[in-house]
Amino acid sequence: MKGDVLKPFANAIGETEYAELLGQKGRVVWFYGLSGSGKSTLSDALNRDLHGRGRYSIILDGDTIRSTINQDLGFSDADRAENLRRTAELARFLAKRGAIVIVSFITPFRAVREKIAGILRDVPHELVFVKAGIETCKKRDPKGIYQAYNEGKIKSLTGVDASFEIGPHDCELDTENLTIDETLRDLVRKIRI
Ligand SMILES: Nc1ncnc2c1ncn2[C@@H]1O[C@H](COP(=O)(O)OP(=O)(O)O)[C@@H](O)[C@H]1O
Ligand SMILES: [Mg+2]
């Protein structure tokens, strides 16, 4: 039914012209990892680094998206999957219009990551594993959510009582043994951004 009614308009300005205007090709860098592993920190560092090199990039961060366009969604499995589906569609939409899109979401499930890769099939994209062990993440606890879990204020937490599936991915970053700057340099070299 929907397919009969909706005919997306074929806009005259396409990917090539956006690339010419911006002097770059759109792409998606998708960070996944435990809470506290360093996704938001590295997104911000990469964004700053790209900006300094005259590149146009946009961050889609889990908490920001959840408190804005996805504020209608909760934390059931279906809502978590929908949260990621919408974000992947948005990332693709922006990348096709020339932006370098930096996404940082826990993205714990392999099957959901495969769906995301399907949505991003026609834009260059890399899945980056931001690696830090659960003990390190608990110690860092930048948002106090591990503490909140211990106090019984949150019912379920990825890596503690909800599963987190590792791999496959295009790139892995060790945030436990490298400084933020070293990790950024490692990323830039590995994905050639
Ligand atoms: N190499 C590193 N890369 C990223 N973050 C690091 C690194 N080393 C230490 N940190 C610290 O770890 C914490 C990561 O927090 P955050 O980026 O909010 O995690 P996430 O977004 O994955 O939940 C920050 O306090 C940051 O300063
Ligand atoms: Mg974060």
Side-chain angles (χ1 to χ4, degrees), residues 68-141:
T68 54
I69 57 173
N70 285 354
Q71 62 179 221
D72 57 320
L73 299 176
F75 290 89
S76 66
D77 283 354
D79 276 9
R80 281 173 195 269
E82 176 61 6
N83 181 41
L84 291 164
R85 187 195 66 79
R86 288 185 198 170
T87 304
E89 290 286 3
L90 178 59
R92 173 175 176 268
F93 193 93
L94 296 170
K96 282 183 93 58
R97 286 151 186 82
I100 298 169
V101 187
I102 305 166
V103 188
S104 72
F105 279 69
I106 298 173
T107 338
F109 301 122
R110 194 170 293 132
V112 175
R113 294 197 296 266
E114 277 165 14
K115 281 202 184 124
I116 291 166
I119 292 170
L120 299 177
R121 69 200 169 279
D122 61 351
V123 292
H125 60 277
E126 281 95 14
L127 181 64
V128 178
F129 175 40
V130 182
K131 185 177 159 195
I134 188 70
E135 291 312 319
T136 300
C137 293
K138 281 182 186 168
K139 242 180 259 156
R140 288 177 178 168
D141 204 7

Side-chain angles (χ1 to χ4, degrees), residues 31-64:
F31 290 115
Y32 84 102
L34 293 171
S35 183
S37 59
K39 302 178 299 299
S40 297
T41 302
L42 290 170
S43 296
D44 200 49
L46 177 61
N47 196 36
R48 171 57 65 196
D49 186 63
L50 289 168
H51 188 88
R53 290 188 270 138
R55 302 266 179 252
Y56 179 60
S57 52
I58 297 171
I59 297 176
L60 304 180
D61 196 87
D63 289 357
T64 312

